[in-house]
C-alpha cells in the first residue's frame, strides 16, 4: 500500500542528489512546471513520489492536478519528515525523485531537502510561493535557495495590464493571520500595479463579479497574512 | 627624428582605444596607425596565445581587436526569416465536447489587430487594446459565449502553418482556460512551446491565449468578442515573435 503512490520503475537513485526550485506568484504555473518535470522523470524510468501539504484540503487530497487536467497521485502530509515512515523505508530507498507542491506550508522544508538530496541522493523538485501578499518571505521556500541546484522564478499575467506579474496582491481588506483562497481573494500583478495596490483593490472590489477559476481548481494556492 | 618615426615609436605604447582615436586625427596618422603591426602588439598584450600563430585569425589584427576588445553590446535583431504573410493560425476552442469556435486566421489578420467595440467593453480592456504596445489580436465574428461555471472545462488548441515551407507546428495543445480575470474581462490559457531540437538549450517558453469578453454578460455566460495571443515571457515585438515562431519544431 505504501509504495502505491510511487510512480515509475524501481530504478536505483544516483549517488548525488539534486534540488530544483520553482517559485513565483499565484497562477504562474508552478504546479504545471513541477508536474512537467516529474512526468519527464517518470518517462525516463525513474521512481517518483509527489508530496503536498495537507493544510489545504479543499481539493483532492490524494492528487495534484495541473491546469490542463493532468492528475498525479500524491501524499498529503502535515510535515515532510513524516514521509519516510509513512511511505516505508524500503520503498523510500527505491525512490529517485521527490516532488513537493505548496512547499511554503512545510516548516521542515530545509531539513527535509538537505537530508533527501545530500544524504539519500534523491532528486527533489520543489514548487511554492516565494512571497506573501505583502511581498515578504513566505515559509521556508527561500531558505532552500542556497542548497538548490537551480532556481526558476515563474511569472503570471498581471490582471490589470496583462504584462508579466511577479507579485500576488490581496483583493480584500481581510487582516486575519492566514486567509486561504484563490482567484476570488488574490490576483497576480506587475510591479506597477502592486505599488498602486490600493487603487487596484478598490477597482477589484467594485468589479461586478469576483475573479473565479474554471476547470480544475488545483492551481488555487494560498497566501498568508503575516 | 622625423614625425613619422616619433609616431611609430609612440603608437605601440598606447592603449587600443587611444590608438583608434589617433587614426581619426589626420590622413598621415591614420596611415601609420592602421599598420597591423601596432594592432598585433595590442592583441599580443590582450591575448598572447592568439599571436603565437603566424597569421591573424581574422583578416587583420585590427579587426580582431576592434571586434573583441570589449564586451559585445546587445545587438539589434536581424530581420526575421519569416513574415506574418507566410503564417496561418488554426484555432479551436471547446467546452467539454462541444466545439465553440473553429477558425483559420491568417497571420496578417492577427498582426493587424482590431479596435475594441464602441460600447460594452470594460475600461481596462479598452485601454489595453488601444495602447501602442505590440499585440496580436483579432475580432471574433460572429461572437460566441463560453460558460463560466466551476465545472466547465473550456480548452483551446492552436496550430500554425507555414505557406513558404508547407510545414505545421503546435503552439497550444488542448490547454484549459482555467483562469478568468473578471476585473479585466479576460480568460487565459497557456502551454509550453515545442522548440526545434536545433535550439536545445532554450528554457520553457510559454504561449498565452486570451479570450476577451464583454462587460455586460450574465454570470453564467461570457460573451467573447476577441482573441489575443502572445509570448510575453520572451517576445514583445513583431520581430521577436517572428524569430520565436521560426524556432518552433516545424513538421
Amino acid at each position: 500500500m505504501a509504495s502505491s503512490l510511487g510512480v515509475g520503475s524501481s530504478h536505483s537513485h544516483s549517488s548525488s542528489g539534486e534540488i530544483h526550485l520553482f517559485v513565483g506568484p499565484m497562477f504562474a504555473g508552478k504546479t504545471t512546471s513541477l508536474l512537467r518535470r516529474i512526468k519527464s522523470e517518470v518517462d525516463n524510468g525513474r521512481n517518483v513520489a509527489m508530496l503536498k501539504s495537507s493544510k489545504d484540503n479543499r481539493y483532492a487530497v490524494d492528487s495534484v492536478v495541473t491546469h490542463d487536467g493532468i492528475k498525479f497521485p500524491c501524499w498529503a502530509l502535515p510535515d515532510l519528515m513524516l514521509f519516510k515512515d509513512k511511505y516505508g523505508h524500503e520503498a523510500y530507498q527505491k525512490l529517485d525523485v521527490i516532488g513537493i507542491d505548496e512547499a511554503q506550508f512545510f516548516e521542515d522544508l530545509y531539513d527535509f531537502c538537505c537530508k533527501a538530496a545530500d544524504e539519500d541522493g534523491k532528486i527533489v523538485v520543489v514548487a511554492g510561493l516565494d512571497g506573501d501578499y505583502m511581498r515578504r518571505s513566505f515559509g521556508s521556500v527561500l531558505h532552500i535557495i542556497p542548497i538548490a541546484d537551480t532556481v526558476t522564478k515563474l511569472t503570471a499575467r498581471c490582471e490589470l495590464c496583462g504584462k508579466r506579474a511577479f507579485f500576488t496582491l490581496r483583493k480584500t481588506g481581510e487582516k486575519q493571520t492566514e486567509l486561504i483562497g484563490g482567484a476570488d481573494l488574490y490576483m497576480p500583478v506587475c510591479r506597477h500595479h502592486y505599488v498602486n495596490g490600493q487603487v487596484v483593490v478598490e477597482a477589484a472590489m467594485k468589479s461586478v463579479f469576483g475573479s473565479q477559476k474554471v476547470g480544475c481548481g488545483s492551481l488555487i494556492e494560498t497566501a498568508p497574512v503575516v | 627624428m622625423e614625425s613619422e618615426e616619433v609616431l611609430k615609436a609612440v603608437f605601440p605604447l598606447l592603449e587600443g582605444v587611444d590608438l583608434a582615436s589617433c587614426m581619426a586625427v589626420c590622413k598621415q596618422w591614420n596611415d601609420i596607425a592602421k599598420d597591423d603591426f601596432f594592432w598585433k602588439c595590442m592583441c599580443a598584450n590582450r591575448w598572447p596565445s592568439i599571436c603565437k600563430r603566424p597569421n591573424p585569425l581574422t583578416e587583420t589584427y585590427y579587426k580582431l581587436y576592434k571586434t573583441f576588445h570589449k564586451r559585445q553590446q546587445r545587438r539589434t535583431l536581424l530581420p526575421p526569416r519569416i513574415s506574418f504573410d507566410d503564417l496561418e493560425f488554426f484555432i479551436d476552442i471547446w467546452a467539454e465536447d462541444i466545439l465553440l469556435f473553429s477558425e483559420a486566421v491568417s497571420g496578417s489578420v492577427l498582426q493587424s489587430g482590431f479596435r475594441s467595440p464602441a460600447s460594452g467593453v470594460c475600461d481596462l480592456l479598452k485601454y489595453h487594446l488601444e495602447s501602442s504596445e505590440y499585440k496580436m489580436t483579432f475580432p471574433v465574428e460572429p461572437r460566441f459565449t463560453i460558460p463560466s461555471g466551476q465545472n466547465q472545462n473550456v480548452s483551446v488548441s492552436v496550430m500554425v502553418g507555414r505557406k513558404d515551407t508547407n510545414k505545421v507546428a503546435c503552439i497550444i495543445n488542448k490547454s484549459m482556460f482555467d483562469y478568468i480575470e473578471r476585473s479585466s474581462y479576460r480568460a487565459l490559457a497557456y502551454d509550453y512551446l515545442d522548440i526545434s531540437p536545433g535550439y536545445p538549450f532554450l528554457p520553457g517558453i510559454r504561449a498565452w491565449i486570451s479570450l476577451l469578453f464583454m462587460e455586460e454578460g450574465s454570470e453564467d455566460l461570457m460573451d467573447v468578442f476577441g482573441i489575443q495571443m502572445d509570448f510575453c515571457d520572451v517576445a514583445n515585438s513583431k520581430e521577436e515573435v517572428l524569430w520565436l515562431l521560426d524556432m518552433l519544431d516545424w513538421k
Side-chain angles (χ1 to χ4, degrees):
Chain A
M1 174 67 185
S3 60
S4 64
L5 288 176
V7 181
S9 63
S10 57
H11 184 287
S12 63
H13 58 71
S14 57
S15 55
S16 64
E18 299 170 20
I19 298 172
H20 302 281
L21 176 60
F22 293 102
V23 294
M26 295 177 71
F27 316 115
K30 297 182 295 297
T31 301
T32 301
S33 295
L34 170 65
L35 288 185
R36 282 177 82 233
R37 175 66 193 255
I38 292 297
K39 189 176 181 301
S40 74
E41 297 288 1
V42 171
D43 292 344
N44 289 334
R46 291 206 169 96
N47 209 2
V48 170
M50 273 284 284
L51 319 179
K52 74 170 186 179
S53 172
S54 59
K55 287 183 184 176
D56 181 9
N57 57 6
R58 294 166 300 159
Y59 301 96
V61 288
D62 60 348
S63 63
V64 172
V65 190
T66 179
H67 78 118
D68 52 4
I70 295 170
K71 276 192 177 185
F72 204 95
C74 79
W75 290 78
L77 301 165
D79 295 297
L80 291 167
M81 287 302 191
L82 299 172
F83 173 63
K84 196 170 183 176
D85 290 332
K86 291 208 172 190
Y87 195 69
H89 285 253
E90 270 187 55
Y92 179 83
Q93 291 303 319
K94 292 176 185 172
L95 269 183
D96 301 302
V97 184
I98 299 170
I100 304 172
D101 196 24
E102 294 178 357
Q104 68 273 8
F105 289 125
F106 293 114
E107 289 172 20
D108 56 353
L109 181 67
Y110 182 92
D111 294 337
F112 179 83
C113 289
C114 268
K115 186 175 186 324
D118 297 350
E119 295 175 29
D120 304 334
K122 311 296 185 194
I123 296 171
V124 186
V125 188
V126 180
L129 292 167
D130 51 346
D132 62 15
Y133 83 107
M134 299 277 284
R135 297 197 300 188
R136 293 184 299 205
S137 176
F138 190 171
S140 303
V141 173
L142 297 188
H143 296 166
I144 67 166
I145 288 177
I147 57 168
D149 294 54
T150 63
V151 180
T152 305
K153 174 127 178 171
L154 296 165
T155 56
R157 303 297 297 271
C158 177
E159 188 158 324
L160 279 300
C161 67
K163 290 181 181 170
R164 297 169 77 190
F166 297 92
F167 312 115
T168 304
L169 185 79
R170 177 172 290 177
K171 293 178 180 180
T172 66
E174 301 282 344
K175 295 290 181 207
Q176 65 204 71
T177 307
E178 196 172 78
L179 189 60
I180 291 180
D184 51 339
L185 298 178
Y186 300 100
M187 68 164 97
V189 287
C190 63
R191 186 178 299 276
H192 171 73
H193 285 114
Y194 183 89
V195 172
N196 299 319
Q198 282 312 111
V199 179
V200 175
V201 169
E202 284 164 23
M205 288 168 81
K206 284 176 190 167
S207 175
V208 182
F209 309 103
S211 287
Q212 54 183 275
K213 291 277 285 177
V214 293
C216 52
S218 65
L219 279 183
I220 292 181
E221 296 158 313
T222 62
V225 186
V226 182
Chain B
M1 205 182 212
E2 288 183 32
S3 62
E4 193 171 312
E5 288 173 20
V6 172
L7 293 174
K8 283 181 178 177
V10 172
F11 281 176
L13 307 175
L14 299 178
E15 292 290 324
V17 178
D18 299 325
L19 184 58
S21 299
C22 291
M23 291 174 78
V25 171
C26 64
K27 188 176 185 306
Q28 184 201 18
W29 283 40
N30 180 274
D31 289 342
I32 297 166
K34 72 182 180 191
D35 184 333
D36 217 35
F37 167 76
F38 298 126
W39 293 102
K40 184 174 182 179
C41 295
M42 300 292 170
C43 291
N45 288 334
R46 190 74 175 268
W47 310 286
S49 55
I50 284 180
C51 296
K52 286 178 180 170
R53 67 196 312 277
N55 300 312
L57 287 167
T58 52
E59 289 168 49
T60 61
Y61 284 106
Y62 171 61
K63 184 180 178 185
L64 180 70
Y65 191 89
K66 191 173 81 168
T67 307
F68 296 108
H69 81 284
K70 66 175 182 181
R71 186 176 290 279
Q72 298 280 295
Q73 298 301 311
R74 186 166 182 259
R75 292 173 299 187
T76 53
L77 276 177
L78 293 169
R81 294 179 293 194
I82 54 173
S83 75
F84 275 102
D85 294 333
D86 299 326
L87 301 172
E88 193 169 14
F89 296 84
F90 305 93
I91 302 170
D92 298 294
I93 297 171
W94 305 79
E96 303 290 354
D97 297 327
I98 302 161
L99 185 62
L100 298 176
F101 177 86
S102 182
E103 206 156 306
V105 181
S106 73
S108 51
V109 167
L110 193 64
Q111 162 66 14
S112 55
F114 72 106
R115 295 194 70 76
S116 61
S119 61
V121 178
C122 81
D123 291 340
L124 267 175
L125 195 49
K126 189 174 281 190
Y127 175 78
H128 170 68
L129 287 171
E130 291 173 3
S131 72
S132 58
E133 288 169 348
Y134 179 74
K135 60 187 76 68
M136 293 178 289
T137 54
F138 68 94
V140 170
E141 288 159 358
R143 299 212 296 249
F144 67 93
T145 57
I146 65 166
S148 62
Q150 286 287 333
N151 300 319
Q152 288 294 342
N153 291 332
V154 181
S155 63
V156 60
S157 293
V158 182
M159 304 286 278
V160 58
R162 279 179 77 154
K163 297 172 194 170
D164 57 340
T165 59
N166 287 326
K167 289 189 173 182
V168 179
C170 181
I171 293 180
I172 292 177
N173 186 10
K174 204 90 171 157
S175 281
M176 311 291 291
F177 285 102
D178 70 335
Y179 185 52
I180 295 178
E181 296 178 348
R182 281 292 190 174
S183 45
S184 56
Y185 291 82
R186 279 184 303 201
L188 288 144
Y190 72 83
D191 200 1
Y192 285 85
L193 292 173
D194 289 325
I195 301 292
S196 161
Y199 306 94
F201 305 116
L202 286 179
I205 295 171
R206 291 178 291 187
W208 296 81
I209 190 158
S210 309
L211 300 180
L212 314 175
F213 46 93
M214 306 295 282
E215 195 168 13
E216 320 91 21
S218 72
E219 205 163 333
D220 302 324
L221 290 174
M222 297 180 300
D223 188 6
V224 177
F225 70 86
I227 292 176
Q228 177 175 348
M229 191 164 66
D230 66 75
F231 308 93
C232 79
D233 290 356
V234 293
N236 292 295
S237 70
K238 177 183 172 181
E239 289 73 22
E240 288 171 350
V241 167
L242 287 170
W243 269 107
L244 183 60
L245 292 173
D246 191 30
M247 291 157 65
L248 293 178
D249 193 11
W250 295 93
K251 304 279 191 196

